[in-house]
Amino acid sequence: MVAFINFILYLYIFVVGIVIGSFLNVVIYRVPKEISFAKGRSFCPHCQAQIKGYHNVPVFSYLWLRGKCADCGEPISIRYPLVELFTGLMAILIFAVYGLSFQWLVVFSAGAILICITMIDFDTMTIPNGLVIALMAPALLSFFFFPQIGLLSRVIGMGVISLPMLVLAFFIADAFGGGDIKLMGVAGFLLGWENTLLAAFIGLILGGTVAVTLLARKTKDKHMAFGPYLCIGIMTALLFGDIIIQWYFNLFGL
Protein backbone atom coordinates (compact mmCIF):
# COMPACT_ATOMS: atom_id res chain seq x y z
CA MET A 1 0.00 0.00 0.00
CA VAL A 2 2.84 2.37 0.90
CA ALA A 3 4.58 1.61 -2.41
CA PHE A 4 1.36 2.37 -4.31
CA ILE A 5 0.91 5.70 -2.53
CA ASN A 6 4.53 6.62 -3.29
CA PHE A 7 3.99 5.71 -6.93
CA ILE A 8 0.91 7.96 -7.10
CA LEU A 9 2.84 10.81 -5.46
CA TYR A 10 5.75 10.51 -7.87
CA LEU A 11 3.35 10.29 -10.81
CA TYR A 12 1.55 13.40 -9.60
CA ILE A 13 4.82 15.30 -9.23
CA PHE A 14 5.88 14.19 -12.71
CA VAL A 15 2.60 15.40 -14.23
CA VAL A 16 2.98 18.75 -12.46
CA GLY A 17 6.53 18.93 -13.79
CA ILE A 18 5.68 18.29 -17.44
CA VAL A 19 2.78 20.78 -17.27
CA ILE A 20 5.16 23.42 -15.92
CA GLY A 21 7.63 22.36 -18.61
CA SER A 22 4.99 23.11 -21.25
CA PHE A 23 4.69 26.63 -19.82
CA LEU A 24 8.48 26.98 -19.81
CA ASN A 25 8.47 26.26 -23.56
CA VAL A 26 6.15 29.24 -23.99
CA VAL A 27 8.50 31.45 -21.96
CA ILE A 28 11.56 30.22 -23.87
CA TYR A 29 9.93 30.95 -27.23
CA ARG A 30 8.22 34.24 -26.42
CA VAL A 31 10.61 36.16 -24.15
CA PRO A 32 13.36 36.66 -26.78
CA LYS A 33 10.68 37.76 -29.27
CA GLU A 34 9.21 40.17 -26.69
CA ILE A 35 5.81 38.47 -26.85
CA SER A 36 3.79 38.31 -23.64
CA PHE A 37 3.81 34.79 -22.23
CA ALA A 38 0.93 35.63 -19.88
CA LYS A 39 -1.62 36.29 -22.62
CA GLY A 40 -2.79 34.42 -25.69
CA ARG A 41 -3.02 30.72 -26.42
CA SER A 42 -0.14 28.64 -27.74
CA PHE A 43 0.29 28.72 -31.50
CA CYS A 44 2.28 26.93 -34.18
CA PRO A 45 5.51 28.81 -34.94
CA HIS A 46 5.11 27.95 -38.65
CA CYS A 47 1.47 28.68 -39.56
CA GLN A 48 0.52 30.68 -36.43
CA ALA A 49 -2.61 28.54 -35.95
CA GLN A 50 -3.78 28.30 -32.35
CA ILE A 51 -3.06 24.92 -30.83
CA LYS A 52 -6.20 23.18 -29.63
CA GLY A 53 -6.31 22.12 -26.02
CA TYR A 54 -6.35 18.40 -26.80
CA HIS A 55 -3.31 18.90 -29.03
CA ASN A 56 -1.43 20.64 -26.24
CA VAL A 57 -1.02 17.82 -23.74
CA PRO A 58 2.65 17.83 -22.61
CA VAL A 59 4.83 15.12 -24.20
CA PHE A 60 1.91 12.91 -25.23
CA SER A 61 0.50 15.28 -27.88
CA TYR A 62 3.89 15.38 -29.59
CA LEU A 63 3.92 11.58 -29.77
CA TRP A 64 0.27 11.41 -30.89
CA LEU A 65 0.84 13.97 -33.67
CA ARG A 66 4.14 12.32 -34.60
CA GLY A 67 6.03 15.57 -34.11
CA LYS A 68 4.00 17.58 -36.63
CA CYS A 69 1.57 20.49 -36.44
CA ALA A 70 -2.03 19.29 -36.69
CA ASP A 71 -2.88 22.23 -39.00
CA CYS A 72 0.02 22.74 -41.39
CA GLY A 73 1.89 19.45 -40.99
CA GLU A 74 5.23 21.18 -40.44
CA PRO A 75 7.60 19.38 -38.06
CA ILE A 76 7.66 20.52 -34.45
CA SER A 77 11.07 20.63 -32.77
CA ILE A 78 11.70 17.67 -30.51
CA ARG A 79 13.08 20.18 -28.04
CA TYR A 80 9.55 20.96 -26.83
CA PRO A 81 8.74 17.50 -25.42
CA LEU A 82 12.33 17.12 -24.19
CA VAL A 83 12.03 20.31 -22.12
CA GLU A 84 8.70 19.05 -20.73
CA LEU A 85 10.13 15.62 -19.98
CA PHE A 86 13.27 17.05 -18.38
CA THR A 87 11.20 19.37 -16.19
CA GLY A 88 9.08 16.42 -15.06
CA LEU A 89 12.15 14.35 -14.21
CA MET A 90 13.69 17.32 -12.40
CA ALA A 91 10.52 17.67 -10.33
CA ILE A 92 10.77 13.99 -9.35
CA LEU A 93 14.46 14.29 -8.44
CA ILE A 94 13.84 17.31 -6.23
CA PHE A 95 10.87 15.52 -4.64
CA ALA A 96 13.12 12.54 -3.89
CA VAL A 97 15.52 14.88 -2.06
CA TYR A 98 13.10 17.20 -0.23
CA GLY A 99 9.69 15.53 -0.34
CA LEU A 100 6.56 17.60 -0.91
CA SER A 101 7.62 20.69 1.01
CA PHE A 102 8.30 24.40 0.71
CA GLN A 103 11.93 23.47 0.10
CA TRP A 104 10.80 21.47 -2.94
CA LEU A 105 8.87 24.50 -4.18
CA VAL A 106 11.87 26.82 -3.78
CA VAL A 107 14.33 24.48 -5.49
CA PHE A 108 11.91 23.53 -8.28
CA SER A 109 11.13 27.20 -8.94
CA ALA A 110 14.82 27.97 -9.21
CA GLY A 111 15.34 24.97 -11.50
CA ALA A 112 12.48 26.01 -13.78
CA ILE A 113 13.94 29.50 -14.19
CA LEU A 114 17.39 28.03 -14.85
CA ILE A 115 15.92 25.86 -17.62
CA CYS A 116 14.53 28.99 -19.29
CA ILE A 117 17.86 30.80 -18.93
CA THR A 118 19.72 27.81 -20.37
CA MET A 119 17.58 27.44 -23.47
CA ILE A 120 17.32 31.17 -24.20
CA ASP A 121 21.07 31.63 -23.79
CA PHE A 122 21.69 28.75 -26.20
CA ASP A 123 19.34 30.37 -28.72
CA THR A 124 20.28 34.03 -28.39
CA MET A 125 23.59 34.23 -26.49
CA THR A 126 21.84 36.49 -23.96
CA ILE A 127 20.33 36.05 -20.51
CA PRO A 128 17.19 38.22 -20.12
CA ASN A 129 17.26 40.51 -17.09
CA GLY A 130 13.67 39.51 -16.33
CA LEU A 131 14.67 35.91 -15.70
CA VAL A 132 17.55 36.94 -13.44
CA ILE A 133 15.11 39.11 -11.50
CA ALA A 134 12.68 36.17 -11.36
CA LEU A 135 15.46 34.02 -9.87
CA MET A 136 15.64 36.49 -7.01
CA ALA A 137 12.27 35.22 -5.72
CA PRO A 138 13.40 31.65 -4.88
CA ALA A 139 16.77 33.05 -3.79
CA LEU A 140 15.07 35.30 -1.20
CA LEU A 141 12.67 32.53 -0.13
CA SER A 142 15.63 30.21 0.37
CA PHE A 143 16.79 32.49 3.19
CA PHE A 144 13.75 31.39 5.20
CA PHE A 145 13.49 27.75 4.12
CA PHE A 146 17.23 26.96 4.08
CA PRO A 147 18.36 28.62 7.34
CA GLN A 148 21.51 26.47 7.44
CA ILE A 149 22.99 28.89 4.89
CA GLY A 150 23.81 31.98 6.91
CA LEU A 151 23.27 35.55 5.77
CA LEU A 152 27.02 36.29 5.76
CA SER A 153 27.67 33.26 3.53
CA ARG A 154 24.96 34.45 1.15
CA VAL A 155 26.32 38.00 0.99
CA ILE A 156 29.86 36.74 0.35
CA GLY A 157 28.42 34.34 -2.24
CA MET A 158 26.94 37.27 -4.18
CA GLY A 159 30.42 38.58 -4.91
CA VAL A 160 32.78 35.62 -4.65
CA ILE A 161 32.35 34.73 -8.34
CA SER A 162 30.45 37.64 -9.88
CA LEU A 163 33.07 40.26 -8.89
CA PRO A 164 36.04 38.36 -10.40
CA MET A 165 33.93 37.79 -13.52
CA LEU A 166 33.20 41.52 -13.67
CA VAL A 167 36.90 42.36 -13.39
CA LEU A 168 37.80 39.88 -16.13
CA ALA A 169 35.06 41.23 -18.37
CA PHE A 170 36.42 44.75 -17.84
CA PHE A 171 39.97 43.87 -18.87
CA ILE A 172 39.26 41.07 -21.38
CA ALA A 173 36.65 41.74 -24.04
CA ASP A 174 33.94 39.07 -24.27
CA ALA A 175 35.36 37.17 -21.28
CA PHE A 176 31.91 37.02 -19.69
CA GLY A 177 28.56 38.51 -20.55
CA GLY A 178 26.69 40.81 -18.22
CA GLY A 179 23.96 38.20 -17.87
CA ASP A 180 26.47 35.61 -16.62
CA ILE A 181 27.74 38.04 -14.00
CA LYS A 182 24.26 38.94 -12.75
CA LEU A 183 23.25 35.29 -12.76
CA MET A 184 26.14 34.34 -10.48
CA GLY A 185 25.39 37.28 -8.21
CA VAL A 186 21.84 36.06 -7.58
CA ALA A 187 23.01 32.44 -7.40
CA GLY A 188 25.50 33.47 -4.74
CA PHE A 189 22.69 34.55 -2.42
CA LEU A 190 20.77 31.37 -3.22
CA LEU A 191 23.68 29.00 -2.57
CA GLY A 192 26.06 30.64 -0.11
CA TRP A 193 29.73 31.15 -0.93
CA GLU A 194 30.90 27.52 -0.67
CA ASN A 195 28.35 26.14 -3.10
CA THR A 196 28.72 29.17 -5.35
CA LEU A 197 32.38 28.28 -5.79
CA LEU A 198 31.36 24.70 -6.55
CA ALA A 199 28.73 25.85 -9.07
CA ALA A 200 31.26 28.05 -10.85
CA PHE A 201 33.83 25.25 -10.87
CA ILE A 202 31.36 22.84 -12.46
CA GLY A 203 30.34 25.50 -14.98
CA LEU A 204 33.94 26.25 -15.90
CA ILE A 205 34.79 22.56 -16.33
CA LEU A 206 31.77 21.92 -18.55
CA GLY A 207 32.06 25.16 -20.49
CA GLY A 208 35.80 24.77 -20.88
CA THR A 209 35.40 21.24 -22.20
CA VAL A 210 32.91 22.42 -24.81
CA ALA A 211 35.14 25.38 -25.74
CA VAL A 212 38.16 23.13 -26.24
CA THR A 213 36.05 20.79 -28.37
CA LEU A 214 34.88 23.68 -30.57
CA LEU A 215 38.45 24.91 -30.98
CA ALA A 216 39.64 21.41 -31.86
CA ARG A 217 36.98 21.24 -34.56
CA LYS A 218 38.08 24.69 -35.80
CA THR A 219 34.53 26.02 -35.55
CA LYS A 220 34.22 29.37 -37.30
CA ASP A 221 32.08 30.93 -34.59
CA LYS A 222 34.38 31.43 -31.62
CA HIS A 223 31.58 32.64 -29.34
CA MET A 224 29.58 30.29 -27.15
CA ALA A 225 26.89 30.61 -24.52
CA PHE A 226 28.41 30.13 -21.06
CA GLY A 227 25.21 30.61 -19.06
CA PRO A 228 23.89 27.06 -19.64
CA TYR A 229 26.95 25.51 -18.03
CA LEU A 230 26.70 27.89 -15.08
CA CYS A 231 23.04 26.87 -14.74
CA ILE A 232 24.02 23.20 -14.63
CA GLY A 233 26.58 24.02 -11.96
CA ILE A 234 24.07 26.05 -9.95
CA MET A 235 21.46 23.31 -10.02
CA THR A 236 23.99 20.61 -9.15
CA ALA A 237 25.28 22.66 -6.21
CA LEU A 238 21.74 23.43 -5.08
CA LEU A 239 20.79 19.75 -4.94
CA PHE A 240 24.03 17.98 -4.09
CA GLY A 241 26.54 20.70 -3.20
CA ASP A 242 26.95 19.80 0.48
CA ILE A 243 27.39 16.12 -0.38
CA ILE A 244 30.00 16.88 -3.06
CA ILE A 245 31.93 19.27 -0.83
CA GLN A 246 31.92 16.80 2.08
CA TRP A 247 33.08 14.02 -0.27
CA TYR A 248 35.94 16.26 -1.43
CA PHE A 249 37.04 17.00 2.12
CA ASN A 250 36.88 13.33 3.07
CA LEU A 251 38.91 12.42 -0.02
CA PHE A 252 41.81 14.49 1.27
CA GLY A 253 41.18 13.74 4.96
CA LEU A 254 40.17 17.30 5.75
Side-chain angles (χ1 to χ4, degrees), residues 124-145:
T124 67
M125 299 282 290
T126 59
I127 297 177
N129 287 328
L131 290 177
V132 177
I133 293 171
L135 188 62
M136 291 180 181
L140 290 172
L141 286 173
S142 72
F143 176 74
F144 300 99
F145 296 109

Side-chain angles (χ1 to χ4, degrees), residues 115-210:
I115 289 174
C116 291
I117 290 174
T118 295
M119 302 311 297
I120 291 175
D121 199 15
F122 268 135
D123 290 341
T124 67
M125 299 282 290
T126 59
I127 297 177
N129 287 328
L131 290 177
V132 177
I133 293 171
L135 188 62
M136 291 180 181
L140 290 172
L141 286 173
S142 72
F143 176 74
F144 300 99
F145 296 109
F146 292 86
Q148 66 271 28
I149 306 174
L151 180 59
L152 179 59
S153 177
R154 294 178 184 273
V155 172
I156 295 173
M158 292 176 68
V160 70
I161 294 298
S162 60
L163 288 180
M165 289 174 70
L166 180 62
V167 171
L168 284 172
F170 182 79
F171 288 104
I172 304 174
D174 298 326
F176 296 102
D180 298 329
I181 297 169
K182 287 177 278 190
L183 172 64
M184 290 309 297
V186 177
F189 190 86
L190 174 67
L191 298 170
W193 72 266
E194 299 99 328
N195 279 316
T196 301
L197 289 175
L198 175 63
F201 177 75
I202 293 172
L204 285 170
I205 293 296
L206 293 176
T209 301
V210 172

Side-chain angles (χ1 to χ4, degrees), residues 76-121:
I76 300 170
S77 173
I78 195 173
R79 195 174 79 174
Y80 291 104
L82 287 179
V83 167
E84 293 164 354
L85 183 61
F86 181 82
T87 307
L89 293 175
M90 181 183 73
I92 288 177
L93 176 60
I94 299 170
F95 176 72
V97 175
Y98 294 108
L100 195 58
S101 62
F102 284 111
Q103 289 179 319
W104 177 89
L105 182 61
V106 169
V107 177
F108 179 74
S109 298
I113 296 168
L114 292 172
I115 289 174
C116 291
I117 290 174
T118 295
M119 302 311 297
I120 291 175
D121 199 15

Side-chain angles (χ1 to χ4, degrees), residues 20-35:
I20 296 298
S22 181
F23 172 71
L24 298 186
N25 276 323
V26 175
V27 174
I28 292 165
Y29 178 80
R30 295 190 183 188
V31 166
K33 298 179 183 298
E34 298 184 351
I35 304 173

